[in-house]
Amino acid sequence: KVLEDEYEILVATNGDEVIEAVLDDSSSIKGIFLDLNMPVKSGFEVLDYFNEHNLFVKYPVSVITGEDSKDSISKVTKYAIVDVLQKPFSKEAAKTIVSKTLQANEK
């Protein structure tokens, strides 16, 4: 909601919807901001799917999470993600990670 005036945002309510969105050839996804705690398929399961199908090359992913355990943060940084933004976050922090993620798409 913080950035919906500046970007067209597609919201997925669960991990399966994230995967469906990237498999839709008509989508114009430039970056993904993935929550680790989602129903149906967790963020970690989505990251595993991206890893198995080499999707990090096509879609830059940043993780947004309320998870603050060292184990979870350490685990998530083993994936080819752009960055991690921990909740709660400021509008400025959100803008920074969006910019960084979209720049990764341009490379």
XYZ file of all heavy atoms in Angstrom:
838
model
N 0.820 -1.196 0.000
C 0.000 0.000 0.000
C 0.859 1.252 0.000
O 0.427 2.283 -0.502
C -0.931 -0.014 1.206
C -1.978 -1.089 1.120
C -2.939 -1.033 2.265
C -3.959 -2.120 2.076
N -5.048 -2.031 3.009
N 2.035 1.150 0.582
C 2.926 2.302 0.685
C 3.312 2.837 -0.688
O 3.484 4.030 -0.870
C 4.196 1.911 1.488
C 5.237 2.998 1.450
C 3.832 1.577 2.921
N 3.420 1.955 -1.672
C 3.939 2.353 -2.982
C 2.936 2.219 -4.121
O 3.308 2.356 -5.280
C 5.191 1.529 -3.289
C 6.312 1.670 -2.268
C 7.381 0.631 -2.518
C 6.887 3.059 -2.285
N 1.677 1.960 -3.810
C 0.718 1.699 -4.882
C 0.449 2.906 -5.773
O -0.020 2.747 -6.898
C -0.577 1.120 -4.330
C -1.344 2.014 -3.388
C -2.503 1.282 -2.716
O -2.711 0.083 -2.968
O -3.193 1.920 -1.909
N 0.783 4.110 -5.328
C 0.632 5.292 -6.184
C 1.744 5.384 -7.226
O 1.598 6.061 -8.240
C 0.627 6.574 -5.346
C -0.637 6.704 -4.506
O -1.645 6.043 -4.833
O -0.607 7.469 -3.521
N 2.871 4.705 -6.962
C 4.032 4.797 -7.846
C 4.218 3.588 -8.755
O 4.888 3.684 -9.784
C 5.292 4.973 -7.002
C 5.275 6.245 -6.176
C 6.462 6.331 -5.239
O 7.595 6.139 -5.717
O 6.242 6.585 -4.044
N 3.652 2.456 -8.370
C 3.870 1.219 -9.118
C 2.555 0.468 -9.296
O 1.646 0.569 -8.476
C 4.850 0.300 -8.372
C 6.201 0.907 -8.159
C 6.537 1.515 -6.956
C 7.163 0.867 -9.163
C 7.792 2.076 -6.756
C 8.415 1.423 -8.978
C 8.714 2.026 -7.768
O 9.960 2.585 -7.585
N 2.513 -0.332 -10.342
C 1.401 -1.266 -10.506
C 1.767 -2.501 -9.699
O 2.805 -3.130 -9.948
C 1.227 -1.633 -11.976
C 0.058 -2.539 -12.217
C -0.125 -2.872 -13.689
O 0.338 -2.100 -14.546
O -0.707 -3.925 -13.955
N 0.934 -2.839 -8.747
C 1.262 -3.911 -7.813
C 0.273 -5.054 -7.957
O -0.942 -4.854 -7.933
C 1.261 -3.386 -6.358
C 2.320 -2.288 -6.230
C 1.510 -4.522 -5.381
C 2.294 -1.554 -4.919
N 0.797 -6.251 -8.118
C 0.006 -7.471 -8.153
C 0.188 -8.146 -6.795
O 1.321 -8.383 -6.371
C 0.510 -8.393 -9.273
C -0.084 -9.790 -9.335
C -1.570 -9.716 -9.672
C 0.650 -10.609 -10.384
N -0.890 -8.423 -6.115
C -0.822 -9.019 -4.791
C -1.195 -10.495 -4.872
O -2.234 -10.851 -5.426
C -1.760 -8.295 -3.801
C -1.737 -8.983 -2.441
C -1.373 -6.828 -3.671
N -0.331 -11.330 -4.332
C -0.605 -12.767 -4.216
C -0.858 -13.042 -2.736
O -0.075 -12.609 -1.886
C 0.574 -13.578 -4.723
N -1.925 -13.750 -2.441
C -2.277 -13.988 -1.039
C -1.675 -15.270 -0.479
O -1.774 -15.522 0.710
C -3.802 -14.012 -0.848
O -4.350 -15.048 -1.658
C -4.413 -12.673 -1.221
N -1.068 -16.067 -1.346
C -0.413 -17.287 -0.870
C 0.695 -17.675 -1.855
O 0.795 -17.121 -2.949
C -1.421 -18.425 -0.675
C -2.086 -18.869 -1.949
O -1.428 -19.319 -2.891
N -3.407 -18.749 -2.011
N 1.522 -18.607 -1.446
C 2.661 -19.008 -2.261
C 2.299 -19.580 -3.616
O 3.003 -19.367 -4.605
N 1.204 -20.315 -3.688
C 0.778 -20.861 -4.983
C 0.460 -19.744 -5.972
O 0.771 -19.853 -7.158
C -0.442 -21.775 -4.823
C -0.071 -23.187 -4.377
O 1.120 -23.559 -4.490
O -0.970 -23.919 -3.932
N -0.163 -18.678 -5.493
C -0.487 -17.555 -6.371
C 0.775 -16.860 -6.896
O 0.789 -16.366 -8.018
C -1.386 -16.543 -5.656
C -2.793 -17.052 -5.443
C -3.689 -16.055 -4.727
O -3.267 -14.902 -4.483
O -4.827 -16.436 -4.397
N 1.828 -16.842 -6.096
C 3.101 -16.273 -6.555
C 3.624 -17.089 -7.736
O 3.981 -16.543 -8.783
C 4.152 -16.243 -5.421
C 5.512 -15.780 -5.944
C 3.700 -15.371 -4.266
N 3.633 -18.392 -7.560
C 4.136 -19.274 -8.617
C 3.254 -19.179 -9.867
O 3.768 -19.107 -10.982
C 4.260 -20.718 -8.094
C 5.378 -20.769 -7.038
C 4.529 -21.693 -9.238
C 5.447 -22.050 -6.252
N 1.937 -19.152 -9.683
C 1.032 -19.004 -10.821
C 1.318 -17.702 -11.575
O 1.299 -17.676 -12.810
C -0.423 -19.009 -10.353
C -0.919 -20.364 -9.913
C -2.308 -20.297 -9.275
O -3.028 -19.294 -9.478
O -2.655 -21.243 -8.559
N 1.583 -16.627 -10.853
C 1.839 -15.327 -11.487
C 3.098 -15.357 -12.340
O 3.108 -14.820 -13.447
C 1.942 -14.232 -10.427
N 4.144 -16.005 -11.872
C 5.377 -16.033 -12.666
C 5.279 -17.005 -13.837
O 5.981 -16.841 -14.829
C 6.640 -16.332 -11.820
C 6.850 -15.265 -10.768
C 6.611 -17.706 -11.208
N 4.400 -17.983 -13.725
C 4.217 -18.923 -14.831
C 3.312 -18.362 -15.919
O 3.285 -18.881 -17.033
C 3.666 -20.253 -14.316
C 4.608 -21.043 -13.406
C 3.940 -22.320 -12.921
C 5.924 -21.343 -14.094
N 2.598 -17.286 -15.610
C 1.720 -16.631 -16.581
C 2.584 -15.794 -17.523
O 3.105 -14.759 -17.151
C 0.709 -15.746 -15.855
C -0.224 -15.012 -16.794
O -0.144 -15.224 -18.027
O -1.037 -14.218 -16.294
N 2.742 -16.261 -18.743
C 3.599 -15.588 -19.713
C 3.161 -14.163 -20.020
O 3.954 -13.360 -20.503
C 3.667 -16.382 -21.027
C 4.497 -17.640 -20.884
O 5.325 -17.704 -19.969
O 4.301 -18.559 -21.693
N 1.911 -13.834 -19.770
C 1.436 -12.492 -20.072
C 1.767 -11.491 -18.968
O 1.570 -10.301 -19.134
C -0.076 -12.501 -20.319
O -0.755 -12.801 -19.118
N 2.268 -11.982 -17.831
C 2.570 -11.064 -16.732
C 3.829 -10.266 -17.050
O 4.716 -10.713 -17.763
C 2.747 -11.832 -15.420
O 3.947 -12.559 -15.433
N 3.871 -9.072 -16.529
C 5.034 -8.202 -16.749
C 5.720 -7.911 -15.419
O 6.044 -6.770 -15.117
C 4.604 -6.911 -17.444
O 3.637 -6.251 -16.648
N 5.933 -8.931 -14.644
C 6.516 -8.793 -13.316
C 7.980 -8.359 -13.440
O 8.768 -8.984 -14.139
C 6.414 -10.119 -12.536
C 4.941 -10.460 -12.303
C 7.175 -10.034 -11.216
C 4.706 -11.837 -11.733
N 8.314 -7.298 -12.743
C 9.678 -6.753 -12.765
C 10.444 -7.089 -11.505
O 11.670 -7.000 -11.465
C 9.641 -5.230 -12.923
C 8.919 -4.760 -14.154
C 9.670 -5.114 -15.402
C 8.958 -4.534 -16.612
N 9.094 -5.330 -17.790
N 9.732 -7.442 -10.448
C 10.369 -7.783 -9.181
C 9.343 -8.396 -8.258
O 8.139 -8.168 -8.406
N 9.831 -9.191 -7.313
C 8.941 -9.876 -6.382
C 9.367 -9.541 -4.960
O 10.553 -9.602 -4.623
C 8.974 -11.395 -6.612
C 8.426 -11.697 -8.012
C 8.203 -12.140 -5.523
C 8.513 -13.135 -8.424
N 8.378 -9.199 -4.155
C 8.590 -8.923 -2.745
C 7.823 -9.983 -1.989
O 6.599 -9.983 -1.965
C 8.133 -7.493 -2.426
C 8.853 -6.531 -3.315
C 8.311 -6.128 -4.519
C 10.130 -6.116 -2.989
C 9.000 -5.300 -5.379
C 10.833 -5.289 -3.847
C 10.275 -4.869 -5.033
N 8.564 -10.901 -1.430
C 8.006 -12.155 -0.926
C 7.993 -12.185 0.589
O 9.028 -11.993 1.223
C 8.866 -13.305 -1.465
C 8.456 -14.719 -1.139
C 7.143 -15.071 -1.835
C 9.548 -15.688 -1.564
N 6.830 -12.449 1.151
C 6.708 -12.656 2.590
C 7.019 -14.124 2.866
O 6.617 -14.999 2.099
C 5.288 -12.316 3.043
C 5.182 -12.130 4.546
O 5.978 -12.736 5.293
O 4.301 -11.386 4.981
N 7.718 -14.390 3.948
C 8.047 -15.782 4.284
C 6.848 -16.519 4.865
O 6.730 -17.728 4.709
C 9.214 -15.833 5.272
C 10.549 -15.323 4.758
C 11.604 -15.416 5.848
C 10.989 -16.083 3.519
N 5.963 -15.796 5.541
C 4.822 -16.415 6.212
C 3.566 -16.232 5.372
O 2.862 -15.241 5.510
C 4.632 -15.802 7.602
C 5.832 -16.045 8.476
O 6.347 -17.158 8.520
N 6.297 -15.020 9.149
N 3.317 -17.203 4.491
C 2.128 -17.184 3.649
C 1.414 -18.525 3.770
O 2.048 -19.547 4.023
C 2.508 -16.963 2.175
C 3.077 -15.614 1.879
S 3.349 -15.371 0.112
C 4.569 -16.618 -0.236
N 0.103 -18.510 3.570
C -0.625 -19.783 3.597
C -0.392 -20.590 2.316
O 0.159 -20.085 1.348
C -2.091 -19.343 3.697
C -2.130 -17.960 3.151
C -0.775 -17.355 3.401
N -0.812 -21.808 2.343
C -0.768 -22.788 1.252
C 0.678 -23.203 0.970
O 1.038 -24.347 1.125
C -1.468 -22.298 -0.034
C -1.440 -23.378 -1.106
C -2.901 -21.853 0.247
N 1.491 -22.287 0.509
C 2.913 -22.549 0.254
C 3.670 -21.393 0.893
O 3.424 -20.236 0.581
C 3.151 -22.603 -1.257
C 4.350 -23.377 -1.671
C 4.420 -23.486 -3.195
C 4.273 -24.900 -3.674
N 3.013 -25.402 -4.053
N 4.605 -21.703 1.778
C 5.347 -20.655 2.487
C 6.329 -19.948 1.563
O 6.615 -20.421 0.453
C 6.128 -21.265 3.657
O 7.251 -21.991 3.166
N 6.834 -18.837 2.032
C 7.851 -18.121 1.277
C 9.071 -18.980 1.015
O 9.665 -18.922 -0.068
N 9.454 -19.802 1.985
C 10.598 -20.696 1.781
C 10.306 -21.716 0.684
O 11.183 -22.044 -0.115
C 10.988 -21.406 3.081
C 11.781 -20.538 4.012
C 11.243 -20.120 5.213
C 13.076 -20.121 3.686
C 11.970 -19.314 6.071
C 13.806 -19.323 4.529
C 13.256 -18.917 5.725
N 9.076 -22.202 0.618
C 8.708 -23.140 -0.448
C 8.742 -22.451 -1.812
O 9.153 -23.051 -2.798
C 7.332 -23.743 -0.178
C 7.337 -24.699 1.002
C 5.939 -25.160 1.378
O 5.104 -24.310 1.757
O 5.686 -26.379 1.282
N 8.322 -21.193 -1.855
C 8.400 -20.435 -3.103
C 9.857 -20.231 -3.491
O 10.241 -20.409 -4.654
C 7.665 -19.079 -2.988
C 7.906 -18.223 -4.223
C 6.172 -19.296 -2.758
N 10.705 -19.893 -2.526
C 12.138 -19.729 -2.802
C 12.745 -21.034 -3.315
O 13.554 -21.020 -4.248
C 12.874 -19.246 -1.546
C 12.553 -17.821 -1.097
C 13.139 -17.565 0.282
C 13.058 -16.803 -2.106
N 12.345 -22.151 -2.719
C 12.824 -23.460 -3.203
C 12.386 -23.685 -4.648
O 13.176 -24.145 -5.481
C 12.289 -24.599 -2.324
C 12.978 -24.682 -0.973
O 14.105 -24.169 -0.832
O 12.371 -25.263 -0.050
N 11.143 -23.354 -4.965
C 10.623 -23.507 -6.329
C 11.432 -22.648 -7.302
O 11.827 -23.107 -8.366
C 9.142 -23.137 -6.379
C 8.532 -23.331 -7.744
C 7.964 -24.554 -8.086
C 8.550 -22.314 -8.698
C 7.412 -24.755 -9.341
C 8.006 -22.511 -9.957
C 7.442 -23.729 -10.278
O 6.914 -23.926 -11.527
N 11.673 -21.395 -6.930
C 12.470 -20.498 -7.775
C 13.866 -21.068 -7.989
O 14.399 -21.010 -9.092
C 12.558 -19.105 -7.138
C 11.445 -18.183 -7.533
C 10.115 -18.529 -7.346
C 11.727 -16.952 -8.092
C 9.087 -17.676 -7.714
C 10.714 -16.093 -8.465
C 9.394 -16.454 -8.273
N 14.438 -21.595 -6.940
C 15.781 -22.169 -7.025
C 15.797 -23.375 -7.969
O 16.656 -23.470 -8.849
C 16.249 -22.561 -5.620
C 17.734 -22.589 -5.490
O 18.433 -21.778 -6.088
N 18.224 -23.506 -4.687
N 14.841 -24.272 -7.805
C 14.763 -25.490 -8.612
C 14.504 -25.199 -10.091
O 14.926 -25.964 -10.954
C 13.656 -26.406 -8.077
C 13.961 -27.001 -6.716
C 12.728 -27.611 -6.052
O 11.667 -27.756 -6.717
O 12.818 -27.923 -4.854
N 13.807 -24.106 -10.373
C 13.433 -23.781 -11.753
C 14.217 -22.597 -12.317
O 13.840 -22.040 -13.351
C 11.923 -23.519 -11.834
C 11.118 -24.737 -11.533
N 10.742 -25.085 -10.264
C 10.664 -25.716 -12.343
C 10.067 -26.221 -10.300
N 10.000 -26.634 -11.553
N 15.292 -22.230 -11.649
C 16.196 -21.167 -12.103
C 15.450 -19.858 -12.401
O 15.744 -19.169 -13.377
C 16.976 -21.642 -13.338
C 18.248 -20.859 -13.538
O 18.843 -20.365 -12.585
N 18.658 -20.712 -14.780
N 14.504 -19.511 -11.560
C 13.686 -18.320 -11.785
C 14.298 -17.040 -11.221
O 13.864 -15.941 -11.566
C 12.281 -18.521 -11.223
C 11.441 -19.559 -11.960
C 10.128 -19.803 -11.226
C 11.177 -19.114 -13.391
N 15.315 -17.165 -10.371
C 15.963 -15.967 -9.842
C 16.645 -15.171 -10.947
O 16.845 -13.969 -10.821
C 16.985 -16.324 -8.752
C 16.362 -16.788 -7.471
C 16.474 -18.112 -7.074
C 15.668 -15.905 -6.654
C 15.911 -18.540 -5.891
C 15.090 -16.330 -5.471
C 15.211 -17.654 -5.087
N 16.978 -15.825 -12.040
C 17.602 -15.144 -13.179
C 16.601 -14.194 -13.839
O 16.943 -13.090 -14.246
C 18.117 -16.179 -14.206
C 18.618 -15.502 -15.456
C 19.191 -17.049 -13.587
N 15.351 -14.611 -13.907
C 14.315 -13.819 -14.575
C 13.620 -12.836 -13.634
O 13.220 -11.752 -14.050
C 13.279 -14.761 -15.196
C 12.243 -14.068 -16.036
C 11.349 -15.055 -16.762
C 10.334 -14.332 -17.630
N 9.444 -15.249 -18.326
N 13.465 -13.224 -12.378
C 12.721 -12.420 -11.418
C 13.564 -12.112 -10.183
O 13.826 -13.000 -9.380
C 11.453 -13.149 -10.957
C 10.522 -13.505 -12.074
C 10.456 -14.806 -12.561
C 9.703 -12.540 -12.652
C 9.589 -15.138 -13.590
C 8.841 -12.865 -13.686
C 8.790 -14.166 -14.147
O 7.944 -14.487 -15.168
N 13.967 -10.862 -10.018
C 14.667 -10.514 -8.777
C 13.679 -10.558 -7.610
O 12.550 -10.086 -7.726
C 15.176 -9.099 -9.037
C 14.343 -8.560 -10.126
C 13.856 -9.729 -10.928
N 14.111 -11.164 -6.522
C 13.244 -11.364 -5.364
C 13.882 -10.717 -4.141
O 15.063 -10.931 -3.858
C 13.045 -12.871 -5.076
C 12.219 -13.081 -3.813
C 12.414 -13.576 -6.269
N 13.091 -9.935 -3.442
C 13.478 -9.449 -2.121
C 12.462 -9.996 -1.140
O 11.280 -10.152 -1.469
C 13.511 -7.922 -2.072
O 14.650 -7.440 -2.745
N 12.921 -10.301 0.037
C 12.067 -10.885 1.061
C 11.666 -9.798 2.051
O 12.496 -9.016 2.498
C 12.806 -12.041 1.780
C 12.033 -12.507 3.000
C 13.038 -13.196 0.815
N 10.378 -9.766 2.356
C 9.838 -8.879 3.372
C 9.267 -9.781 4.456
O 8.420 -10.626 4.178
C 8.738 -7.970 2.789
C 9.323 -7.128 1.657
C 8.146 -7.097 3.883
C 8.301 -6.326 0.892
N 9.757 -9.606 5.690
C 9.354 -10.546 6.723
C 9.335 -9.921 8.115
O 10.066 -8.979 8.383
C 10.292 -11.774 6.721
O 9.816 -12.726 7.674
C 11.715 -11.400 7.056
N 8.503 -10.476 8.951
C 8.483 -10.139 10.364
C 9.346 -11.107 11.146
O 9.570 -10.950 12.337
N 9.832 -12.108 10.452
C 10.693 -13.131 11.040
C 12.026 -12.487 11.427
O 12.658 -11.826 10.604
C 10.921 -14.237 10.012
C 11.605 -15.466 10.514
C 10.746 -16.289 11.447
O 9.561 -16.502 11.167
O 11.292 -16.727 12.468
N 12.451 -12.678 12.677
C 13.710 -12.058 13.076
C 14.705 -13.041 13.687
O 15.739 -12.644 14.189
C 13.465 -10.893 14.027
C 12.809 -11.324 15.324
O 12.437 -12.503 15.457
O 12.662 -10.471 16.220
N 14.398 -14.326 13.589
C 15.334 -15.308 14.131
C 16.573 -15.400 13.242
O 16.475 -15.284 12.015
C 14.678 -16.685 14.258
O 14.550 -17.294 12.996
N 17.709 -15.577 13.854
C 18.962 -15.669 13.097
C 18.931 -16.838 12.120
O 19.461 -16.749 11.022
C 20.149 -15.792 14.050
C 20.469 -14.516 14.766
C 21.706 -14.665 15.630
C 21.987 -13.369 16.361
N 23.175 -13.452 17.180
N 18.301 -17.933 12.515
C 18.225 -19.104 11.642
C 17.457 -18.804 10.363
O 17.892 -19.155 9.271
C 17.565 -20.293 12.365
C 18.449 -20.890 13.453
O 19.682 -20.669 13.417
O 17.899 -21.578 14.329
N 16.317 -18.142 10.494
C 15.505 -17.829 9.308
C 16.213 -16.835 8.397
O 16.228 -17.007 7.180
C 14.152 -17.253 9.719
O 13.369 -18.244 10.318
N 16.803 -15.805 8.975
C 17.504 -14.804 8.168
C 18.711 -15.443 7.489
O 18.960 -15.223 6.304
C 17.922 -13.587 9.022
C 16.683 -12.917 9.642
C 18.744 -12.602 8.215
C 15.635 -12.455 8.637
N 19.427 -16.273 8.209
C 20.574 -16.967 7.628
C 20.130 -17.894 6.501
O 20.760 -17.949 5.440
C 21.299 -17.768 8.712
O 22.349 -18.510 8.164
N 19.029 -18.594 6.708
C 18.513 -19.521 5.702
C 18.082 -18.786 4.437
O 18.397 -19.206 3.324
C 17.329 -20.308 6.277
C 16.752 -21.341 5.334
C 15.615 -22.098 6.002
C 14.944 -23.049 5.032
N 13.798 -23.738 5.624
N 17.390 -17.658 4.592
C 16.872 -16.934 3.435
C 18.003 -16.308 2.616
O 17.905 -16.202 1.395
C 15.808 -15.891 3.858
C 16.432 -14.648 4.441
C 14.915 -15.526 2.706
N 19.085 -15.924 3.252
C 20.183 -15.298 2.505
C 21.000 -16.312 1.710
O 21.857 -15.914 0.926
C 21.111 -14.487 3.439
O 21.620 -15.347 4.460
C 20.369 -13.308 4.058
N 20.718 -17.574 1.864
C 21.389 -18.602 1.054
C 20.791 -18.690 -0.361
O 21.366 -19.300 -1.242
C 21.320 -19.950 1.754
C 22.155 -19.996 3.025
C 22.161 -21.369 3.617
C 22.799 -21.531 4.934
N 23.877 -20.883 5.405
N 19.632 -18.079 -0.542
C 18.997 -18.028 -1.863
C 19.545 -16.814 -2.622
O 20.092 -15.896 -2.027
C 17.482 -17.904 -1.730
C 16.822 -19.116 -1.119
C 16.571 -19.184 0.248
C 16.444 -20.197 -1.910
C 15.956 -20.300 0.811
C 15.835 -21.315 -1.354
C 15.599 -21.356 0.005
O 14.998 -22.459 0.558
N 19.332 -16.795 -3.911
C 19.832 -15.701 -4.756
C 18.870 -14.509 -4.734
O 18.428 -14.016 -5.764
C 20.023 -16.200 -6.184
N 18.570 -14.043 -3.521
C 17.667 -12.907 -3.374
C 18.453 -11.601 -3.444
O 19.672 -11.597 -3.296
C 16.868 -12.982 -2.059
C 17.806 -12.938 -0.852
C 15.976 -14.209 -2.050
C 17.097 -12.745 0.469
N 17.740 -10.519 -3.650
C 18.367 -9.201 -3.709
C 18.628 -8.683 -2.295
O 19.732 -8.248 -1.976
C 17.488 -8.198 -4.490
C 18.090 -6.802 -4.469
C 17.277 -8.679 -5.920
N 17.607 -8.746 -1.433
C 17.750 -8.190 -0.090
C 16.624 -8.687 0.804
O 15.687 -9.337 0.339
C 17.711 -6.656 -0.157
C 18.486 -5.988 0.970
O 18.856 -6.662 1.952
O 18.724 -4.770 0.860
N 16.727 -8.346 2.097
C 15.704 -8.682 3.085
C 15.279 -7.390 3.777
O 16.126 -6.607 4.208
C 16.244 -9.674 4.147
C 15.186 -9.952 5.210
C 16.712 -10.961 3.515
N 13.982 -7.191 3.877
C 13.417 -6.049 4.591
C 12.586 -6.601 5.732
O 11.658 -7.374 5.506
C 12.547 -5.201 3.653
C 11.883 -3.965 4.248
C 12.931 -2.968 4.737
C 10.973 -3.313 3.214
N 12.953 -6.218 6.956
C 12.238 -6.742 8.113
C 11.132 -5.789 8.563
O 11.315 -4.575 8.557
C 13.214 -7.017 9.255
C 14.141 -8.192 8.932
C 15.021 -8.545 10.089
O 16.025 -7.897 10.312
N 14.633 -9.569 10.813
N 9.998 -6.379 8.905
C 8.856 -5.627 9.418
C 9.108 -5.313 10.891
O 9.720 -6.119 11.574
C 7.573 -6.446 9.296
C 7.153 -6.781 7.894
C 5.934 -7.683 7.952
C 5.595 -8.260 6.598
N 4.494 -9.229 6.688
N 8.613 -4.218 11.384
C 7.957 -3.127 10.656
C 9.020 -2.317 9.910
O 10.183 -2.270 10.304
C 7.301 -2.306 11.758
C 8.152 -2.526 12.947
C 8.696 -3.939 12.814
N 8.616 -1.697 8.828
C 9.563 -0.917 8.047
C 8.960 0.439 7.693
O 7.747 0.610 7.704
C 9.995 -1.658 6.778
C 8.856 -2.127 5.922
C 8.252 -1.282 5.017
C 8.392 -3.438 6.036
C 7.206 -1.720 4.220
C 7.338 -3.884 5.245
C 6.745 -3.018 4.336
N 9.829 1.373 7.388
C 9.389 2.718 7.023
C 9.123 2.794 5.523
O 9.573 1.946 4.753
C 10.470 3.734 7.391
O 11.621 3.528 6.580
N 8.427 3.834 5.121
C 8.164 4.073 3.699
C 9.493 4.232 2.960
O 9.658 3.731 1.846
C 7.293 5.310 3.520
C 6.896 5.581 2.092
C 5.937 6.754 1.987
C 5.496 6.954 0.550
N 4.509 8.030 0.412
N 10.446 4.893 3.565
C 11.758 5.105 2.940
C 12.480 3.780 2.725
O 13.090 3.557 1.691
C 12.619 6.050 3.787
C 12.100 7.472 3.831
C 10.885 7.654 4.755
O 10.702 6.867 5.709
O 10.099 8.579 4.489
N 12.427 2.895 3.724
C 13.064 1.578 3.589
C 12.389 0.770 2.487
O 13.061 0.084 1.708
C 13.015 0.825 4.909
N 11.070 0.870 2.391
C 10.345 0.165 1.335
C 10.756 0.694 -0.030
O 11.004 -0.082 -0.960
C 8.839 0.303 1.535
N 10.843 2.001 -0.167
C 11.251 2.595 -1.448
C 12.670 2.160 -1.827
O 12.940 1.879 -2.990
C 11.181 4.122 -1.379
C 9.788 4.659 -1.459
C 9.799 6.185 -1.491
C 8.409 6.713 -1.718
N 8.397 8.148 -1.984
N 13.546 2.093 -0.852
C 14.931 1.691 -1.107
C 15.003 0.261 -1.624
O 15.692 -0.025 -2.607
C 15.789 1.844 0.165
O 15.784 3.224 0.549
C 17.211 1.372 -0.050
N 14.296 -0.658 -0.980
C 14.365 -2.057 -1.405
C 13.668 -2.266 -2.745
O 14.113 -3.070 -3.562
C 13.841 -3.023 -0.317
C 14.340 -4.446 -0.599
C 12.337 -2.987 -0.226
C 14.139 -5.409 0.529
N 12.599 -1.513 -3.018
C 11.940 -1.598 -4.318
C 12.912 -1.145 -5.404
O 13.083 -1.815 -6.427
C 10.642 -0.761 -4.353
C 10.146 -0.582 -5.772
C 9.570 -1.414 -3.491
N 13.555 -0.028 -5.184
C 14.519 0.496 -6.150
C 15.655 -0.505 -6.394
O 16.022 -0.790 -7.543
C 15.086 1.827 -5.662
O 16.053 2.307 -6.539
N 16.182 -1.046 -5.321
C 17.278 -2.016 -5.426
C 16.840 -3.268 -6.189
O 17.575 -3.791 -7.040
C 17.741 -2.380 -4.011
C 18.990 -3.183 -3.937
C 19.387 -3.346 -2.460
C 20.654 -4.116 -2.324
N 21.045 -4.277 -0.908
N 15.640 -3.737 -5.917
C 15.121 -4.939 -6.576
C 14.871 -4.681 -8.063
O 15.224 -5.506 -8.912
C 13.848 -5.435 -5.874
O 14.138 -5.622 -4.483
C 13.348 -6.727 -6.461
N 14.287 -3.540 -8.378
C 14.014 -3.224 -9.781
C 15.318 -2.991 -10.556
O 15.404 -3.340 -11.737
C 13.092 -2.010 -9.892
C 11.670 -2.245 -9.360
C 10.859 -0.965 -9.431
C 10.975 -3.378 -10.074
N 16.325 -2.442 -9.916
C 17.629 -2.281 -10.562
C 18.251 -3.633 -10.868
O 18.903 -3.807 -11.897
C 18.572 -1.451 -9.694
C 18.248 0.013 -9.696
C 19.104 0.803 -8.728
O 19.964 0.271 -8.054
N 18.857 2.106 -8.648
N 18.026 -4.607 -10.007
C 18.537 -5.966 -10.244
C 17.890 -6.554 -11.483
O 18.499 -7.345 -12.200
C 18.291 -6.845 -9.021
N 16.651 -6.166 -11.764
C 15.948 -6.649 -12.951
C 16.568 -6.100 -14.226
O 16.533 -6.736 -15.260
C 14.471 -6.252 -12.882
C 13.656 -6.830 -14.016
O 13.914 -7.947 -14.467
N 12.709 -6.078 -14.508
N 17.147 -4.921 -14.143
C 17.734 -4.283 -15.323
C 19.071 -4.880 -15.719
O 19.553 -4.680 -16.818
C 17.894 -2.782 -15.057
C 16.558 -2.085 -14.894
C 16.703 -0.645 -14.382
O 17.847 -0.183 -14.202
O 15.665 0.006 -14.189
N 19.683 -5.635 -14.838
C 21.018 -6.199 -15.104
C 20.969 -7.431 -15.961
O 20.119 -8.120 -16.177
C 21.723 -6.511 -13.791
C 22.058 -5.248 -13.035
C 22.744 -5.565 -11.740
C 23.044 -4.270 -10.987
N 23.667 -4.492 -9.736
